[in-house]
């Protein structure tokens, strides 16, 4: 069952030292700004929650994992400040995932676009189904995935980032993403994915919390400048979205 709430939904369940955070939105689990803000705050809260050792990040339903940021909000951007604020949403969430003291396991059950690819990349360990194709289509409307690029590059390298971003019209399948390092494992069905997620997360949650924290810090070494870096990237996107090229590309989507 999926939510029909205009600003989406966010629920957290804590059991056996595992916090399962589930987000949802009727538009293919996309993120309006309010939902991104809620997710950021929830990750920061769980970072200091003593009853949690591991976080599972998942989305509602059995279709798309995440369609990125809200397209309606993107189309509505009218000035530089609004543009920067819009693109700062995913910047803040990725930085919350980076700085969170808990390891984050991603459950990617379906197609993933734009910022959703950034979420998958910012997970410390992600598993997916065969249906979890990915695409970064930003160049087709005159902008680019600048905010999420550091997280994606960290997982799949510069060559993988180039292949994904420059072929902006192409879907890459889940096995491509696994080969590049975005996904650790790919399964034929959601049932198989969920069984492995549960088993893996329970094992991870049973380990020494201090060792898990130190491992998290090791995995994210040399990213301490991302608070500033991702905000600068958001400003680049915020400026580009006001360009004549992008305005013209977006005009055909306006209601």
């Amino acid at each position: 069952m999926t939510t029909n709430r205009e600003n989406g939904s966010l629920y957290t369940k804590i059991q056996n030292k595992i916090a399962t955070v589930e987000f949802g939105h009727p538009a293919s689990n996309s993120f309006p700004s309010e939902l991104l803000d809620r997710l950021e705050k929830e990750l920061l809260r769980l970072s200091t929650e003593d009853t949690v050792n591991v976080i599972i990040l998942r989305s509602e339903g059995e279709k798309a994992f995440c369609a990125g940021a809200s397209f309606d909000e993107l189309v509505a951007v009218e000035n530089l400040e609004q543009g920067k604020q819009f693109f700062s949403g995913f910047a803040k969430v990725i930085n919350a995932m980076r700085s969170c003291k808990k390891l984050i396991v991603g459950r990617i059950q379906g197609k993933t676009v734009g910022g959703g690819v950034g979420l998958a990349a910012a997970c410390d360990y992600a598993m997916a189904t065969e249906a979890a194709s990915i695409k970064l289509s930003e160049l087709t409307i005159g902008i680019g995935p600048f905010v999420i690029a550091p997280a994606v590059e960290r997982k799949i390298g510069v060559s993988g980032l180039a292949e994904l971003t420059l072929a902006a019209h192409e879907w890459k399948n889940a096995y491509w993403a696994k080969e590049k390092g975005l996904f650790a494992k790919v399964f034929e069905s959601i049932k198989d994915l969920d069984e492995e997620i549960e088993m893996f997360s329970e094992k991870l949650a049973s380990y020494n919390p201090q060792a898990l924290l130190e491992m998290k810090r090791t995995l994210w070494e040399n990213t301490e400048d991302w608070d500033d870096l991702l905000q600068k990237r958001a400003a680049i996107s915020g400026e580009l979205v006001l360009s004549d090229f992008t305005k013209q590309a977006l005009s055909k989507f306006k209601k």
Side-chain angles (χ1 to χ4, degrees):
M1 186 171 178
T2 57
T3 186
N4 58 6
R5 294 180 181 177
E6 183 179 346
N7 287 316
S9 63
L10 188 73
Y11 299 102
T12 299
K13 179 181 73 174
I14 298 176
Q15 188 175 3
N16 299 328
K17 299 183 179 180
I18 300 168
T20 301
V21 179
E22 181 175 274
F23 63 88
H25 191 276
S28 299
N29 291 327
S30 58
F31 272 94
S33 297
E34 180 181 314
L35 188 57
L36 284 169
D37 184 62
R38 288 174 62 193
L39 179 57
E40 178 204 7
K41 287 180 169 60
E42 183 64 0
L43 292 169
L44 294 175
R45 182 186 76 82
L46 292 172
S47 179
T48 58
E49 177 56 64
D50 292 338
T51 62
V52 172
N53 286 356
V54 174
I55 296 170
I56 297 172
L57 182 64
R58 57 176 287 161
S59 64
E60 289 184 348
E62 297 188 351
K63 294 183 179 179
F65 169 71
C66 178
S70 167
F71 204 79
D72 289 342
E73 288 188 14
L74 175 64
V75 171
V77 170
E78 294 181 342
N79 57 58
L80 189 59
E81 186 55 37
Q82 286 179 356
K84 182 178 179 182
Q85 187 174 352
F86 173 82
F87 289 102
S88 292
F90 268 102
K92 291 176 180 178
V93 168
I94 288 173
N95 273 318
M97 295 174 74
R98 174 184 64 83
S99 63
C100 181
K101 295 178 181 178
K102 316 297 180 179
L103 288 166
I104 300 174
V105 177
R107 173 194 181 269
I108 321 299
Q109 85 280 9
K111 286 187 173 182
T112 305
V113 182
V117 179
L119 283 188
C123 291
D124 299 297
Y125 195 96
M127 291 183 269
T129 69
E130 291 180 339
S133 300
I134 62 174
K135 181 165 73 169
L136 294 180
S137 56
E138 285 86 343
L139 284 179
T140 64
I141 57 169
I143 58 176
F146 302 110
V147 168
I148 66 168
V152 177
E153 180 188 337
R154 175 178 160 269
K155 279 289 176 75
I156 71 174
V158 174
S159 62
L161 177 64
E163 188 175 347
L164 191 57
T165 56
L166 301 185
H169 58 291
E170 290 183 4
W171 286 96
K172 301 295 187 183
N173 67 38
Y175 290 104
W176 182 93
K178 179 180 181 294
E179 179 185 330
K180 297 295 183 182
L182 182 65
F183 301 148
K185 295 181 179 180
V186 174
F187 298 91
E188 291 184 2
S189 69
I190 291 178
K191 179 176 178 291
D192 291 340
L193 171 64
D194 285 340
E195 287 176 355
E196 182 64 22
I197 288 272
E198 181 180 3
M199 185 171 62
F200 178 81
S201 299
E202 286 179 354
K203 285 182 179 178
L204 202 58
S206 72
Y207 300 152
N208 182 347
Q210 189 61 35
L212 294 177
L213 173 59
E214 294 301 332
M215 196 64 236
K216 172 92 179 194
R217 288 171 174 163
T218 299
L219 291 173
W220 287 93
E221 202 167 7
N222 300 320
T223 62
E224 293 81 7
D225 65 333
W226 280 24
D227 282 322
D228 291 332
L229 174 64
L230 299 195
Q231 287 301 318
K232 289 177 182 175
R233 296 292 183 83
I236 293 172
S237 294
E239 188 171 353
L240 283 170
V241 78
L242 299 173
S243 68
D244 290 339
F245 185 103
T246 299
K247 283 182 177 179
Q248 187 172 345
L250 291 176
S251 64
K252 65 188 75 168
F253 298 104
K254 288 189 176 181
K255 295 177 180 178

